[in-house]
Amino acid sequence: MIEPRLIKNLIPIELVNFLDLEFTMIRDCMKKLNSSSGFDDPTVPNSFSWYSPICFEALSMYIKPIIEKELGEELYPSYSFGRIYMHGSELKKHTDRKSSEITVSCCLRKDPLVDWSLFFEHKNSVYEFNCDVGDAVIGCGNLDPHWRPVYTGKEHVQAFMQYVRKNGEFSHLKYDTRPCLASPYELTNDLIKNEYSNK
């Protein structure tokens, strides 16, 4: 296990702004099409969530050398995820799937009037992180419970990059069992689908 930690300014602000724009465009497109896709996440009601948006799949590769240097070990990317939290959203205390052996949670946009902390519980201690735009928190998403309180701001955009250790017990979950990054969730195998449905 690794101790949860904050990396300041992991993503350059110009790239942050681009990623925020691209992901928000996905949300706005779904709204325009009157689609429920992305708005039906049972984990966090009143939010927009998207599995493996290409912009964040690319981001997972972009930051991988930095994360590997921080942890001192080689990683495989498994999947990425994005979420736009809206007023009243709550991320309840939970752990993630096995494919989230190493999770990197990056702040892309926040309400400047609201500090909204991310909490991790690790070895009976609680860690609180209040990220600025471009900052990221690294932790063991599949082992350490993490959560946020009810969100009181307008919108908060977060990108999640998930990894497994190249030489670890979950290395077979590289790409979340998909043939490659940027491919859809439907191409994960039954091992992933069954784990997700039982979360």
Side-chain angles (χ1 to χ4, degrees), residues 101-137:
E101 185 178 20
I102 305 295
T103 187
V104 181
S105 180
C106 301
C107 177
L108 299 185
R109 176 158 47 93
K110 62 185 292 185
D111 188 325
L113 301 178
V114 176
D115 287 331
W116 195 41
S117 295
L118 170 63
F119 295 88
F120 266 81
E121 184 179 311
H122 176 75
K123 293 185 176 180
N124 298 317
S125 295
V126 174
Y127 295 68
E128 180 177 358
F129 302 99
N130 183 15
C131 295
D132 292 318
V133 170
D135 295 349
V137 174

mmCIF file of all heavy atoms in Angstrom, residues 101-137:
data_model
loop_
_atom_site.group_PDB
_atom_site.id
_atom_site.type_symbol
_atom_site.label_atom_id
_atom_site.label_comp_id
_atom_site.label_asym_id
_atom_site.label_seq_id
_atom_site.Cartn_x
_atom_site.Cartn_y
_atom_site.Cartn_z
ATOM 1 N N GLU A 101 -5.922 0.016 -8.565
ATOM 2 C CA GLU A 101 -4.892 -0.254 -7.560
ATOM 3 C C GLU A 101 -4.154 1.041 -7.190
ATOM 4 O O GLU A 101 -3.893 1.306 -6.022
ATOM 5 C CB GLU A 101 -3.900 -1.284 -8.096
ATOM 6 C CG GLU A 101 -2.857 -1.710 -7.085
ATOM 7 C CD GLU A 101 -1.907 -2.772 -7.618
ATOM 8 O OE1 GLU A 101 -1.790 -2.922 -8.857
ATOM 9 O OE2 GLU A 101 -1.282 -3.449 -6.785
ATOM 10 N N ILE A 102 -3.830 1.827 -8.185
ATOM 11 C CA ILE A 102 -3.278 3.167 -7.981
ATOM 12 C C ILE A 102 -4.227 4.152 -8.646
ATOM 13 O O ILE A 102 -4.469 4.069 -9.850
ATOM 14 C CB ILE A 102 -1.872 3.318 -8.600
ATOM 15 C CG1 ILE A 102 -0.923 2.237 -8.068
ATOM 16 C CG2 ILE A 102 -1.319 4.719 -8.351
ATOM 17 C CD1 ILE A 102 -0.636 2.322 -6.584
ATOM 18 N N THR A 103 -4.777 5.053 -7.875
ATOM 19 C CA THR A 103 -5.683 6.054 -8.441
ATOM 20 C C THR A 103 -5.051 7.432 -8.345
ATOM 21 O O THR A 103 -4.399 7.762 -7.349
ATOM 22 C CB THR A 103 -7.056 6.033 -7.734
ATOM 23 O OG1 THR A 103 -7.960 6.896 -8.413
ATOM 24 C CG2 THR A 103 -6.958 6.460 -6.282
ATOM 25 N N VAL A 104 -5.214 8.212 -9.408
ATOM 26 C CA VAL A 104 -4.718 9.585 -9.441
ATOM 27 C C VAL A 104 -5.922 10.474 -9.739
ATOM 28 O O VAL A 104 -6.502 10.406 -10.817
ATOM 29 C CB VAL A 104 -3.628 9.772 -10.512
ATOM 30 C CG1 VAL A 104 -3.119 11.206 -10.503
ATOM 31 C CG2 VAL A 104 -2.482 8.791 -10.291
ATOM 32 N N SER A 105 -6.301 11.277 -8.769
ATOM 33 C CA SER A 105 -7.486 12.122 -8.877
ATOM 34 C C SER A 105 -7.045 13.567 -9.080
ATOM 35 O O SER A 105 -6.420 14.167 -8.202
ATOM 36 C CB SER A 105 -8.331 11.990 -7.602
ATOM 37 O OG SER A 105 -9.474 12.785 -7.666
ATOM 38 N N CYS A 106 -7.359 14.117 -10.270
ATOM 39 C CA CYS A 106 -6.859 15.441 -10.663
ATOM 40 C C CYS A 106 -7.992 16.469 -10.699
ATOM 41 O O CYS A 106 -9.035 16.217 -11.301
ATOM 42 C CB CYS A 106 -6.219 15.380 -12.046
ATOM 43 S SG CYS A 106 -4.849 14.230 -12.172
ATOM 44 N N CYS A 107 -7.754 17.614 -10.115
ATOM 45 C CA CYS A 107 -8.725 18.709 -10.138
ATOM 46 C C CYS A 107 -8.532 19.524 -11.405
ATOM 47 O O CYS A 107 -7.457 20.077 -11.642
ATOM 48 C CB CYS A 107 -8.537 19.588 -8.903
ATOM 49 S SG CYS A 107 -9.634 21.020 -8.856
ATOM 50 N N LEU A 108 -9.599 19.619 -12.210
ATOM 51 C CA LEU A 108 -9.543 20.390 -13.447
ATOM 52 C C LEU A 108 -10.288 21.723 -13.349
ATOM 53 O O LEU A 108 -9.951 22.668 -14.057
ATOM 54 C CB LEU A 108 -10.123 19.577 -14.605
ATOM 55 C CG LEU A 108 -9.426 18.263 -14.940
ATOM 56 C CD1 LEU A 108 -10.052 17.645 -16.180
ATOM 57 C CD2 LEU A 108 -7.930 18.460 -15.144
ATOM 58 N N ARG A 109 -11.309 21.769 -12.532
ATOM 59 C CA ARG A 109 -12.040 23.029 -12.339
ATOM 60 C C ARG A 109 -12.737 22.987 -10.997
ATOM 61 O O ARG A 109 -13.266 21.941 -10.593
ATOM 62 C CB ARG A 109 -13.051 23.265 -13.466
ATOM 63 C CG ARG A 109 -13.915 24.506 -13.269
ATOM 64 C CD ARG A 109 -14.514 25.037 -14.570
ATOM 65 N NE ARG A 109 -15.119 24.027 -15.407
ATOM 66 C CZ ARG A 109 -16.418 23.692 -15.380
ATOM 67 N NH1 ARG A 109 -17.239 24.269 -14.523
ATOM 68 N NH2 ARG A 109 -16.877 22.771 -16.211
ATOM 69 N N LYS A 110 -12.747 24.108 -10.294
ATOM 70 C CA LYS A 110 -13.420 24.175 -8.997
ATOM 71 C C LYS A 110 -14.113 25.516 -8.856
ATOM 72 O O LYS A 110 -13.766 26.490 -9.541
ATOM 73 C CB LYS A 110 -12.422 23.956 -7.854
ATOM 74 C CG LYS A 110 -11.316 25.003 -7.785
ATOM 75 C CD LYS A 110 -10.280 24.687 -6.724
ATOM 76 C CE LYS A 110 -10.803 24.783 -5.316
ATOM 77 N NZ LYS A 110 -9.750 24.596 -4.288
ATOM 78 N N ASP A 111 -15.094 25.555 -7.997
ATOM 79 C CA ASP A 111 -15.757 26.802 -7.647
ATOM 80 C C ASP A 111 -14.787 27.598 -6.778
ATOM 81 O O ASP A 111 -14.385 27.123 -5.707
ATOM 82 C CB ASP A 111 -17.046 26.492 -6.888
ATOM 83 C CG ASP A 111 -17.914 27.721 -6.650
ATOM 84 O OD1 ASP A 111 -17.347 28.812 -6.430
ATOM 85 O OD2 ASP A 111 -19.145 27.588 -6.681
ATOM 86 N N PRO A 112 -14.370 28.782 -7.220
ATOM 87 C CA PRO A 112 -13.371 29.530 -6.445
ATOM 88 C C PRO A 112 -13.851 29.936 -5.055
ATOM 89 O O PRO A 112 -13.031 30.287 -4.197
ATOM 90 C CB PRO A 112 -13.094 30.762 -7.320
ATOM 91 C CG PRO A 112 -14.303 30.904 -8.187
ATOM 92 C CD PRO A 112 -14.799 29.507 -8.432
ATOM 93 N N LEU A 113 -15.143 29.865 -4.833
ATOM 94 C CA LEU A 113 -15.682 30.269 -3.529
ATOM 95 C C LEU A 113 -15.865 29.088 -2.577
ATOM 96 O O LEU A 113 -16.281 29.274 -1.434
ATOM 97 C CB LEU A 113 -17.028 30.989 -3.721
ATOM 98 C CG LEU A 113 -16.992 32.249 -4.587
ATOM 99 C CD1 LEU A 113 -18.394 32.833 -4.725
ATOM 100 C CD2 LEU A 113 -16.029 33.276 -4.013
ATOM 101 N N VAL A 114 -15.562 27.860 -3.070
ATOM 102 C CA VAL A 114 -15.832 26.667 -2.262
ATOM 103 C C VAL A 114 -14.584 25.795 -2.179
ATOM 104 O O VAL A 114 -14.019 25.404 -3.205
ATOM 105 C CB VAL A 114 -16.998 25.849 -2.873
ATOM 106 C CG1 VAL A 114 -17.212 24.560 -2.085
ATOM 107 C CG2 VAL A 114 -18.270 26.677 -2.882
ATOM 108 N N ASP A 115 -14.143 25.508 -0.968
ATOM 109 C CA ASP A 115 -13.102 24.500 -0.752
ATOM 110 C C ASP A 115 -13.789 23.171 -0.485
ATOM 111 O O ASP A 115 -14.558 23.045 0.475
ATOM 112 C CB ASP A 115 -12.216 24.885 0.435
ATOM 113 C CG ASP A 115 -11.293 26.042 0.116
ATOM 114 O OD1 ASP A 115 -10.921 26.185 -1.065
ATOM 115 O OD2 ASP A 115 -10.954 26.804 1.029
ATOM 116 N N TRP A 116 -13.526 22.201 -1.345
ATOM 117 C CA TRP A 116 -14.222 20.918 -1.250
ATOM 118 C C TRP A 116 -13.195 19.809 -1.119
ATOM 119 O O TRP A 116 -12.571 19.396 -2.093
ATOM 120 C CB TRP A 116 -15.101 20.728 -2.489
ATOM 121 C CG TRP A 116 -16.120 19.647 -2.359
ATOM 122 C CD1 TRP A 116 -16.893 19.348 -1.286
ATOM 123 C CD2 TRP A 116 -16.480 18.708 -3.376
ATOM 124 N NE1 TRP A 116 -17.712 18.285 -1.555
ATOM 125 C CE2 TRP A 116 -17.485 17.880 -2.839
ATOM 126 C CE3 TRP A 116 -16.054 18.495 -4.694
ATOM 127 C CZ2 TRP A 116 -18.065 16.837 -3.571
ATOM 128 C CZ3 TRP A 116 -16.636 17.473 -5.420
ATOM 129 C CH2 TRP A 116 -17.630 16.662 -4.857
ATOM 130 N N SER A 117 -13.009 19.331 0.083
ATOM 131 C CA SER A 117 -11.923 18.398 0.381
ATOM 132 C C SER A 117 -12.228 16.978 -0.068
ATOM 133 O O SER A 117 -13.383 16.541 -0.080
ATOM 134 C CB SER A 117 -11.631 18.393 1.884
ATOM 135 O OG SER A 117 -11.145 19.648 2.306
ATOM 136 N N LEU A 118 -11.168 16.272 -0.416
ATOM 137 C CA LEU A 118 -11.194 14.844 -0.681
ATOM 138 C C LEU A 118 -10.536 14.157 0.508
ATOM 139 O O LEU A 118 -9.435 14.551 0.931
ATOM 140 C CB LEU A 118 -10.431 14.525 -1.967
ATOM 141 C CG LEU A 118 -10.163 13.048 -2.282
ATOM 142 C CD1 LEU A 118 -11.456 12.277 -2.479
ATOM 143 C CD2 LEU A 118 -9.263 12.926 -3.521
ATOM 144 N N PHE A 119 -11.193 13.125 1.056
ATOM 145 C CA PHE A 119 -10.697 12.418 2.228
ATOM 146 C C PHE A 119 -10.307 10.993 1.862
ATOM 147 O O PHE A 119 -11.013 10.312 1.102
ATOM 148 C CB PHE A 119 -11.764 12.375 3.328
ATOM 149 C CG PHE A 119 -12.114 13.713 3.891
ATOM 150 C CD1 PHE A 119 -13.107 14.498 3.310
ATOM 151 C CD2 PHE A 119 -11.453 14.206 5.016
ATOM 152 C CE1 PHE A 119 -13.437 15.742 3.827
ATOM 153 C CE2 PHE A 119 -11.781 15.458 5.543
ATOM 154 C CZ PHE A 119 -12.775 16.223 4.951
ATOM 155 N N PHE A 120 -9.178 10.546 2.406
ATOM 156 C CA PHE A 120 -8.741 9.153 2.304
ATOM 157 C C PHE A 120 -8.543 8.612 3.714
ATOM 158 O O PHE A 120 -8.036 9.321 4.596
ATOM 159 C CB PHE A 120 -7.404 9.050 1.555
ATOM 160 C CG PHE A 120 -7.525 8.796 0.084
ATOM 161 C CD1 PHE A 120 -7.785 9.838 -0.787
ATOM 162 C CD2 PHE A 120 -7.375 7.517 -0.433
ATOM 163 C CE1 PHE A 120 -7.880 9.621 -2.143
ATOM 164 C CE2 PHE A 120 -7.476 7.285 -1.792
ATOM 165 C CZ PHE A 120 -7.729 8.334 -2.657
ATOM 166 N N GLU A 121 -8.932 7.361 3.917
ATOM 167 C CA GLU A 121 -8.646 6.677 5.179
ATOM 168 C C GLU A 121 -7.565 5.645 4.903
ATOM 169 O O GLU A 121 -7.726 4.765 4.055
ATOM 170 C CB GLU A 121 -9.906 6.006 5.718
ATOM 171 C CG GLU A 121 -9.714 5.353 7.074
ATOM 172 C CD GLU A 121 -10.995 4.719 7.594
ATOM 173 O OE1 GLU A 121 -12.044 5.398 7.579
ATOM 174 O OE2 GLU A 121 -10.948 3.537 7.978
ATOM 175 N N HIS A 122 -6.451 5.761 5.607
ATOM 176 C CA HIS A 122 -5.309 4.877 5.381
ATOM 177 C C HIS A 122 -4.713 4.477 6.718
ATOM 178 O O HIS A 122 -4.316 5.337 7.512
ATOM 179 C CB HIS A 122 -4.268 5.603 4.516
ATOM 180 C CG HIS A 122 -3.004 4.839 4.299
ATOM 181 N ND1 HIS A 122 -2.911 3.770 3.430
ATOM 182 C CD2 HIS A 122 -1.762 5.000 4.843
ATOM 183 C CE1 HIS A 122 -1.671 3.314 3.428
ATOM 184 N NE2 HIS A 122 -0.968 4.024 4.282
ATOM 185 N N LYS A 123 -4.718 3.178 6.989
ATOM 186 C CA LYS A 123 -4.146 2.646 8.230
ATOM 187 C C LYS A 123 -4.700 3.379 9.456
ATOM 188 O O LYS A 123 -3.963 3.848 10.328
ATOM 189 C CB LYS A 123 -2.617 2.728 8.202
ATOM 190 C CG LYS A 123 -1.985 1.813 7.163
ATOM 191 C CD LYS A 123 -0.468 1.830 7.244
ATOM 192 C CE LYS A 123 0.150 0.846 6.264
ATOM 193 N NZ LYS A 123 1.631 0.853 6.318
ATOM 194 N N ASN A 124 -6.017 3.489 9.490
ATOM 195 C CA ASN A 124 -6.736 4.080 10.626
ATOM 196 C C ASN A 124 -6.496 5.578 10.805
ATOM 197 O O ASN A 124 -6.854 6.146 11.845
ATOM 198 C CB ASN A 124 -6.405 3.350 11.934
ATOM 199 C CG ASN A 124 -6.835 1.894 11.897
ATOM 200 O OD1 ASN A 124 -7.921 1.570 11.430
ATOM 201 N ND2 ASN A 124 -5.968 1.010 12.378
ATOM 202 N N SER A 125 -5.896 6.215 9.807
ATOM 203 C CA SER A 125 -5.734 7.662 9.832
ATOM 204 C C SER A 125 -6.507 8.265 8.670
ATOM 205 O O SER A 125 -6.615 7.649 7.605
ATOM 206 C CB SER A 125 -4.257 8.050 9.730
ATOM 207 O OG SER A 125 -3.536 7.622 10.864
ATOM 208 N N VAL A 126 -7.048 9.475 8.876
ATOM 209 C CA VAL A 126 -7.787 10.166 7.832
ATOM 210 C C VAL A 126 -6.919 11.289 7.262
ATOM 211 O O VAL A 126 -6.366 12.097 8.014
ATOM 212 C CB VAL A 126 -9.119 10.734 8.366
ATOM 213 C CG1 VAL A 126 -9.803 11.579 7.298
ATOM 214 C CG2 VAL A 126 -10.040 9.594 8.808
ATOM 215 N N TYR A 127 -6.801 11.305 5.945
ATOM 216 C CA TYR A 127 -6.027 12.319 5.234
ATOM 217 C C TYR A 127 -7.012 13.233 4.504
ATOM 218 O O TYR A 127 -7.904 12.754 3.806
ATOM 219 C CB TYR A 127 -5.095 11.679 4.212
ATOM 220 C CG TYR A 127 -4.005 10.810 4.803
ATOM 221 C CD1 TYR A 127 -4.307 9.602 5.432
ATOM 222 C CD2 TYR A 127 -2.663 11.186 4.705
ATOM 223 C CE1 TYR A 127 -3.303 8.800 5.968
ATOM 224 C CE2 TYR A 127 -1.657 10.394 5.230
ATOM 225 C CZ TYR A 127 -1.977 9.199 5.863
ATOM 226 O OH TYR A 127 -0.987 8.409 6.376
ATOM 227 N N GLU A 128 -6.827 14.524 4.652
ATOM 228 C CA GLU A 128 -7.687 15.499 3.986
ATOM 229 C C GLU A 128 -6.881 16.285 2.958
ATOM 230 O O GLU A 128 -5.804 16.796 3.265
ATOM 231 C CB GLU A 128 -8.309 16.468 4.995
ATOM 232 C CG GLU A 128 -9.220 17.506 4.355
ATOM 233 C CD GLU A 128 -9.887 18.417 5.369
ATOM 234 O OE1 GLU A 128 -9.670 18.220 6.584
ATOM 235 O OE2 GLU A 128 -10.636 19.329 4.953
ATOM 236 N N PHE A 129 -7.407 16.367 1.733
ATOM 237 C CA PHE A 129 -6.726 17.079 0.657
ATOM 238 C C PHE A 129 -7.669 18.115 0.063
ATOM 239 O O PHE A 129 -8.794 17.791 -0.311
ATOM 240 C CB PHE A 129 -6.286 16.108 -0.448
ATOM 241 C CG PHE A 129 -5.374 15.019 0.031
ATOM 242 C CD1 PHE A 129 -5.880 13.745 0.304
ATOM 243 C CD2 PHE A 129 -4.019 15.251 0.210
ATOM 244 C CE1 PHE A 129 -5.044 12.738 0.746
ATOM 245 C CE2 PHE A 129 -3.176 14.247 0.657
ATOM 246 C CZ PHE A 129 -3.679 12.979 0.926
ATOM 247 N N ASN A 130 -7.181 19.338 -0.031
ATOM 248 C CA ASN A 130 -7.934 20.406 -0.682
ATOM 249 C C ASN A 130 -7.126 20.853 -1.890
ATOM 250 O O ASN A 130 -6.160 21.609 -1.760
ATOM 251 C CB ASN A 130 -8.185 21.559 0.277
ATOM 252 C CG ASN A 130 -9.016 22.656 -0.342
ATOM 253 O OD1 ASN A 130 -9.641 22.459 -1.387
ATOM 254 N ND2 ASN A 130 -9.018 23.812 0.287
ATOM 255 N N CYS A 131 -7.483 20.352 -3.062
ATOM 256 C CA CYS A 131 -6.679 20.552 -4.267
ATOM 257 C C CYS A 131 -7.013 21.855 -4.969
ATOM 258 O O CYS A 131 -8.175 22.251 -5.053
ATOM 259 C CB CYS A 131 -6.904 19.396 -5.247
ATOM 260 S SG CYS A 131 -6.328 17.806 -4.640
ATOM 261 N N ASP A 132 -5.987 22.476 -5.499
ATOM 262 C CA ASP A 132 -6.161 23.565 -6.441
ATOM 263 C C ASP A 132 -6.196 22.980 -7.847
ATOM 264 O O ASP A 132 -5.817 21.813 -8.067
ATOM 265 C CB ASP A 132 -5.010 24.573 -6.320
ATOM 266 C CG ASP A 132 -5.037 25.322 -5.003
ATOM 267 O OD1 ASP A 132 -6.137 25.723 -4.571
ATOM 268 O OD2 ASP A 132 -3.964 25.502 -4.397
ATOM 269 N N VAL A 133 -6.624 23.777 -8.804
ATOM 270 C CA VAL A 133 -6.675 23.319 -10.188
ATOM 271 C C VAL A 133 -5.272 22.905 -10.641
ATOM 272 O O VAL A 133 -4.299 23.638 -10.425
ATOM 273 C CB VAL A 133 -7.241 24.431 -11.092
ATOM 274 C CG1 VAL A 133 -7.077 24.082 -12.553
ATOM 275 C CG2 VAL A 133 -8.705 24.675 -10.763
ATOM 276 N N GLY A 134 -5.166 21.711 -11.226
ATOM 277 C CA GLY A 134 -3.891 21.168 -11.669
ATOM 278 C C GLY A 134 -3.239 20.239 -10.666
ATOM 279 O O GLY A 134 -2.302 19.501 -11.009
ATOM 280 N N ASP A 135 -3.714 20.254 -9.409
ATOM 281 C CA ASP A 135 -3.178 19.354 -8.375
ATOM 282 C C ASP A 135 -3.808 17.966 -8.507
ATOM 283 O O ASP A 135 -4.887 17.808 -9.084
ATOM 284 C CB ASP A 135 -3.484 19.886 -6.984
ATOM 285 C CG ASP A 135 -2.790 21.198 -6.666
ATOM 286 O OD1 ASP A 135 -1.909 21.605 -7.443
ATOM 287 O OD2 ASP A 135 -3.147 21.814 -5.636
ATOM 288 N N ALA A 136 -3.137 16.979 -7.931
ATOM 289 C CA ALA A 136 -3.662 15.613 -7.947
ATOM 290 C C ALA A 136 -3.355 14.910 -6.633
ATOM 291 O O ALA A 136 -2.346 15.203 -5.978
ATOM 292 C CB ALA A 136 -3.069 14.823 -9.108
ATOM 293 N N VAL A 137 -4.232 13.992 -6.271
ATOM 294 C CA VAL A 137 -4.034 13.125 -5.108
ATOM 295 C C VAL A 137 -3.794 11.714 -5.622
ATOM 296 O O VAL A 137 -4.513 11.225 -6.499
ATOM 297 C CB VAL A 137 -5.252 13.152 -4.170
ATOM 298 C CG1 VAL A 137 -5.084 12.133 -3.042
ATOM 299 C CG2 VAL A 137 -5.456 14.547 -3.596
#
